Amino acid sequence: MAQADDPTGPADGHNHPSAAAPSSAAPTTAAKPWGGVFDAATDARVEAFSESVSYDRRLFQQDIRGSVAHATMLAAVGVLTDDEKNQIIEGLTQIGWEIAAGKFVFKQELEDVHMNIERALVDRIGDVGRKLHTGRSRNDQVSLDFRMWVRDAIDQLDQLLADLQRAFVGRAAQDEGVILPGYTHLQRAQPVLAAHYWLAYVEKYQRDRDRLADCRKRVNLLPLGTAAMAGTTIPIDRQMVADDLGFEGLVANSLDSSSDRDFAVEFVAALSLIAVHLSGWAEEWILWSTTEFNFIKLPQQFCTGSSIMPQKINPDVLELTRGKSARVIGSLQSLLVLTKGLPLAYNRDLQEDKERVFDAADTVRKCLELAAPLVAGSELKRESIAERLDRGYLDATTFMEHLIHLGVPQRTAHGIVGKLVGQAMKAEVRLADLPLAAYQELCPELDESLYNVLGVEHAVQAFRSVGSTRPELVAEQVKLWSHRLGTNAGLGMNETKPS
Ligand code: ARG
């Protein structure tokens, strides 16, 4: 995400060996931390194939933080002296600064962010640095770093979702009293308040936040101490590391721990639903911004034009938001397929998890960052909406319920109103334009007062049920959400910038 986690400084050592040299492609000479048992140097093509440092360098802050906690614990249990611990922490801290400043050179032949940082530490402080990896493996190290990254990403996304909710609540306050046609099957159905629409989205994004919070519980368990897969003989104190790094508990089983990527799958599943919610909203507003609907004016800063058709103002941000859901959903699919056939415990396949998670999180973050100001900066075209509210017999259902209140059985009432709508359609008029005689012929119980029931304004007021679009209930909900989101509705969507 944006926690300065994309330090630049290109991975060097990119050899481009010729395709026609099966086993003799120039091997690199850099000694591998795991090289003891090997007689042959790694084929350069294999190094290029298996490296992850080009993208997992984004984990450098988490890697350093985790290593500092590990070293601190090793000293506390007597495996390192205080002096050794201090040298390690100082070295790691300096490396962290260098990476953040873009001055660190990552080496492809050192595979990943973990080995790059460890090697830099040894280069800096010598043999003491070689003690850092005591009681630890890259298998639990990568899981630790990744969990911390996902945890941070969840916290950041939660803020962005709250910003978007505030933008919708802001719209709800601003559009108080505006009536919109509600649709089912994209056919005009019943009248609803615009605020009711906006709060529908607030609810969806609240569920998204709840899902992320729930996912966070399982993300926030410490895997470190699993070592390679069976645990370690070193007398480590896992609880101490967990407390230091803010984990709520320990992953219990070492085999489970080194193979578990459920947390990543769950995270991207939650992201997929956010993307689906964003996509549905984008689709709705794309339609609403067309000349045909003419319901909404999008802020021009969020639209682009056409290079050939001078009149065009296209809703590109919304279209891309709709389109980008595909890659988030694709990432979820990738992760599920990636993990479905893996035996316990760590398998190198798992290295393929990170780019999918990074991309899904980045994509949703970017969409959310634009969604909030777009929502706040759009305008309902009230006149254009109002002019056509009489079309589509939006009052037919509440009128049918009026007959039920008069004692007519529902099915009978449905039939009567259906006939009346049929007559009105033929005459191309509103229900309210039919003469009283037409009503009384089908339903003698009716009198003049029926004209106080017809029309969208009356219809909206007639709703009773909890959760309906009844104006007082909607106003209550707007208040409740404003309070809950700690907002003067609509303000503050720019207050949370990625740290
Ligand atoms: N880069 C690896 C990953 O992302 C780290 C763990 C590698 N462990 C190993 N024994 N090769 O999964």
Side-chain angles (χ1 to χ4, degrees):
M1 305 286 289
Q3 50 267 73
D5 58 4
D6 204 5
T8 45
D12 71 355
H14 280 269
N15 293 326
H16 298 285
S18 116
S23 59
S24 61
T28 59
T29 48
K32 306 288 192 247
W34 40 253
V37 72
F38 285 80
D39 296 325
T42 314
D43 189 298
R45 289 169 300 189
V46 172
E47 285 182 340
F49 181 68
S50 57
E51 69 85 25
S52 56
V53 69
S54 57
Y55 52 87
D56 69 15
R57 64 179 67 181
R58 291 183 70 164
L59 300 173
F60 83 95
Q61 281 177 339
Q62 289 77 8
D63 197 70
I64 286 173
R65 215 178 141 211
S67 287
V68 167
H70 184 62
T72 304
M73 177 275 292
L74 288 179
V77 299
V79 173
L80 294 178
T81 66
D82 275 348
D83 179 51
E84 289 170 331
K85 172 194 75 177
N86 291 336
Q87 286 186 55
I88 287 173
I89 292 178
E90 200 170 304
L92 287 170
T93 307
Q94 277 175 15
I95 292 167
W97 287 336
E98 260 179 47
I99 299 175
K103 290 184 186 143
F104 189 89
V105 179
F106 285 101
K107 297 191 173 117
Q108 179 179 266
E109 62 270 26
L110 289 171
E111 279 185 36
D112 53 27
V113 65
H114 325 294
M115 295 211 299
N116 268 272
I117 289 175
E118 192 189 331
R119 173 60 58 82
L121 182 69
V122 173
D123 288 348
R124 223 158 279 224
I125 67 170
D127 268 354
V128 173
R130 300 172 73 87
K131 294 187 174 183
L132 171 62
H133 212 48
T134 307
R136 179 176 88 166
S137 146
R138 272 184 301 149
N139 298 351
D140 54 350
Q141 189 180 355
V142 69
S143 173
L144 172 72
D145 295 359
F146 204 21
R147 282 172 185 263
M148 286 199 284
W149 191 93
V150 170
R151 191 174 68 177
D152 290 348
I154 287 175
D155 295 343
Q156 190 189 15
L157 287 162
D158 182 65
Q159 285 305 308
L160 290 169
L161 284 163
D163 290 343
L164 181 53
Q165 287 181 303
R166 283 184 201 111
F168 273 115
V169 174
R171 283 238 63 86
Q174 206 171 311
D175 296 330
E176 201 190 337
V178 176
I179 298 175
L180 285 168
Y183 296 82
T184 64
H185 314 265
L186 202 54
Q187 303 291 322
R188 285 195 169 206
Q190 292 188 273
V192 290
L193 293 180
H196 201 50
Y197 259 103
W198 308 150
L199 291 183
Y201 285 111
V202 173
E203 296 283 348
K204 287 182 196 297
Y205 295 120
Q206 186 58 42
R207 288 197 295 279
D208 289 329
R209 294 178 69 190
D210 294 346
R211 255 184 293 275
L212 284 176
D214 189 58
C215 167
R216 196 185 191 284
K217 291 183 206 155
R218 285 172 293 280
V219 170
N220 204 24
L221 299 173
L222 181 87
L224 205 69
T226 293
M229 42 79 79
T232 174
T233 64
I234 309 293
I236 57 171
D237 182 345
R238 294 185 67 201
Q239 190 56 52
M240 180 183 167
V241 179
D243 292 342
D244 189 352
L245 295 175
F247 283 92
E248 276 160 44
L250 312 178
V251 181
N253 179 299
S254 64
L255 282 172
D256 175 39
S257 175
S258 50
S259 62
D260 175 27
R261 290 296 181 276
D262 294 4
F263 69 89
V265 176
E266 278 189 63
F267 175 51
V268 177
L271 290 177
S272 296
L273 257 177
I274 298 171
V276 164
H277 290 154
L278 285 167
S279 182
W281 158 73
E283 165 68 7
E284 188 161 272
W285 278 29
I286 289 167
L287 284 169
W288 285 12
S289 69
T290 58
T291 309
E292 285 68 18
F293 271 83
N294 203 27
F295 281 5
I296 201 155
K297 185 169 179 285
L298 304 173
Q300 288 207 351
Q301 303 92 307
F302 287 75
C303 297
T304 65
S306 156
S307 52
I308 180 165
M309 296 169 283
Q311 85 283 14
K312 294 299 290 292
I313 300 176
N314 295 326
D316 300 49
V317 170
L318 291 172
E319 291 170 285
L320 284 168
T321 297
R322 187 177 57 188
K324 281 177 189 290
S325 63
R327 56 197 287 168
V328 182
I329 295 163
S331 289
L332 175 60
Q333 184 92 343
S334 294
L335 288 172
L336 288 167
V337 177
L338 175 70
T339 48
K340 81 173 177 60
L342 296 183
L344 295 174
Y346 179 82
N347 295 276
R348 191 64 180 271
D349 314 46
L350 292 176
Q351 182 170 293
E352 290 289 312
D353 58 2
K354 273 164 246 42
E355 284 173 292
R356 301 281 60 81
V357 171
F358 292 157
D359 189 75
D362 289 344
T363 302
V364 171
R365 173 176 53 79
K366 287 178 202 165
C367 292
L368 288 172
E369 282 171 352
L370 289 180
L374 195 151
V375 166
S378 296
E379 252 173 75
L380 280 181
K381 294 187 155 180
R382 296 182 185 204
E383 269 174 38
S384 156
I385 293 164
E387 265 167 23
R388 291 169 294 155
L389 270 178
D390 277 343
R391 300 187 201 166
Y393 304 97
L394 292 163
D395 51 356
T397 306
T398 36
F399 185 61
M400 174 196 75
E401 290 185 346
H402 175 67
L403 298 190
I404 294 172
H405 289 301
L406 294 177
V408 181
Q410 193 271 343
R411 286 292 167 222
T412 313
H414 189 286
I416 292 171
V417 179
K419 284 208 178 79
L420 289 164
V421 170
Q423 291 176 23
M425 277 175 161
K426 220 172 267 166
E428 294 186 14
V429 296
R430 304 171 306 166
L431 278 177
D433 297 324
L434 294 176
L436 182 60
Y439 285 95
Q440 288 178 331
E441 191 178 320
L442 291 168
C443 182
E445 294 93 326
L446 285 168
D447 60 31
E448 283 285 345
S449 68
L450 72 91
Y451 295 102
N452 298 330
V453 176
L454 292 172
V456 289
E457 299 282 350
H458 291 136
V460 160
Q461 295 292 342
F463 287 102
R464 288 285 173 278
S465 57
V466 175
S468 73
T469 194
R470 181 180 182 78
E472 297 93 82
L473 294 177
V474 174
E476 242 171 60
Q477 289 292 311
V478 172
K479 245 206 211 148
L480 207 121
W481 275 111
S482 304
H483 181 70
R484 193 168 166 188
L485 294 165
T487 175
N488 293 321
L491 299 178
M493 53 241 153
N494 293 321
E495 79 202 354
T496 318
K497 278 275 166 275
S499 54

Coordinates of all heavy atoms in Angstrom, one line a residue, residues 2 40 58 122 131 138 207 293 355 405 422 424 432 490:
A2 N 0.5 2.3 0.7 CA 1.2 3.5 0.5 C 2.2 3.7 1.7 O 2.7 4.8 1.8 CB 0.3 4.7 0.4
A40 N 27.3 -26.4 -7.4 CA 27.2 -25.5 -8.6 C 26.4 -24.2 -8.2 O 25.6 -24.2 -7.4 CB 26.3 -26.3 -9.6
R58 N 8.5 -4.4 -1.1 CA 7.4 -3.6 -0.5 C 7.2 -4.0 1.0 O 6.6 -3.3 1.7 CB 6.1 -3.8 -1.2 CG 6.0 -3.2 -2.5 CD 4.7 -3.4 -3.2 NE 3.7 -2.5 -2.5 CZ 2.5 -2.2 -3.0 NH1 2.2 -2.8 -4.2 NH2 1.7 -1.5 -2.4
V122 N 24.8 -8.2 7.5 CA 26.1 -8.9 7.7 C 27.2 -8.1 7.1 O 28.3 -7.9 7.7 CB 26.1 -10.3 7.1 CG1 27.4 -11.0 7.2 CG2 25.0 -11.2 7.8
K131 N 23.8 -13.9 13.3 CA 23.0 -14.6 14.4 C 21.5 -14.2 14.4 O 20.7 -14.8 15.1 CB 23.6 -14.1 15.8 CG 25.0 -14.6 16.0 CD 25.4 -14.3 17.5 CE 26.8 -14.9 17.8 NZ 27.2 -14.7 19.2
R138 N 12.9 -18.3 6.7 CA 12.2 -17.4 5.9 C 10.7 -17.8 5.7 O 9.9 -16.9 5.4 CB 12.8 -17.3 4.5 CG 13.9 -16.3 4.4 CD 14.5 -16.2 3.0 NE 15.0 -17.4 2.5 CZ 15.0 -17.9 1.3 NH1 14.5 -17.1 0.3 NH2 15.5 -19.0 0.9
R207 N -20.8 -3.2 5.7 CA -20.6 -4.6 5.7 C -19.1 -4.9 5.3 O -18.5 -5.8 5.8 CB -21.6 -5.4 4.9 CG -23.0 -5.4 5.4 CD -23.8 -6.5 4.7 NE -24.1 -6.2 3.3 CZ -25.0 -5.4 2.8 NH1 -25.8 -4.7 3.7 NH2 -25.1 -5.2 1.5
F293 N -31.1 9.0 -19.1 CA -31.5 9.2 -17.7 C -31.5 10.6 -17.3 O -32.5 11.2 -16.8 CB -30.6 8.4 -16.8 CG -31.1 6.9 -16.6 CD1 -30.8 6.0 -17.5 CD2 -31.8 6.6 -15.5 CE1 -31.2 4.7 -17.3 CE2 -32.2 5.3 -15.3 CZ -31.9 4.3 -16.2
E355 N 2.0 -10.7 -5.2 CA 1.6 -9.8 -6.3 C 0.1 -9.6 -6.4 O -0.4 -8.6 -6.7 CB 2.2 -10.1 -7.6 CG 3.7 -9.8 -7.7 CD 4.3 -10.4 -8.9 OE1 4.4 -11.6 -9.0 OE2 4.7 -9.6 -9.8
H405 N -55.9 -1.4 2.6 CA -56.3 -0.7 3.9 C -57.9 -0.6 3.9 O -58.5 -0.5 5.0 CB -55.7 0.7 4.0 CG -54.2 0.7 4.3 ND1 -53.7 0.1 5.4 CD2 -53.1 1.1 3.6 CE1 -52.4 0.2 5.4 NE2 -52.0 0.8 4.3
G422 N -53.6 -0.2 -16.8 CA -53.8 -0.5 -18.2 C -54.5 0.6 -18.9 O -54.2 1.1 -20.0
A424 N -54.8 3.7 -17.9 CA -54.0 5.0 -17.9 C -53.0 4.9 -19.0 O -52.7 5.9 -19.7 CB -53.4 5.2 -16.6
A432 N -53.6 9.5 -11.5 CA -54.3 10.6 -10.9 C -55.2 11.3 -12.0 O -56.1 12.1 -11.6 CB -53.4 11.6 -10.3
G490 N -20.4 14.6 4.9 CA -19.8 15.0 3.6 C -18.5 15.6 3.8 O -17.7 15.6 2.8

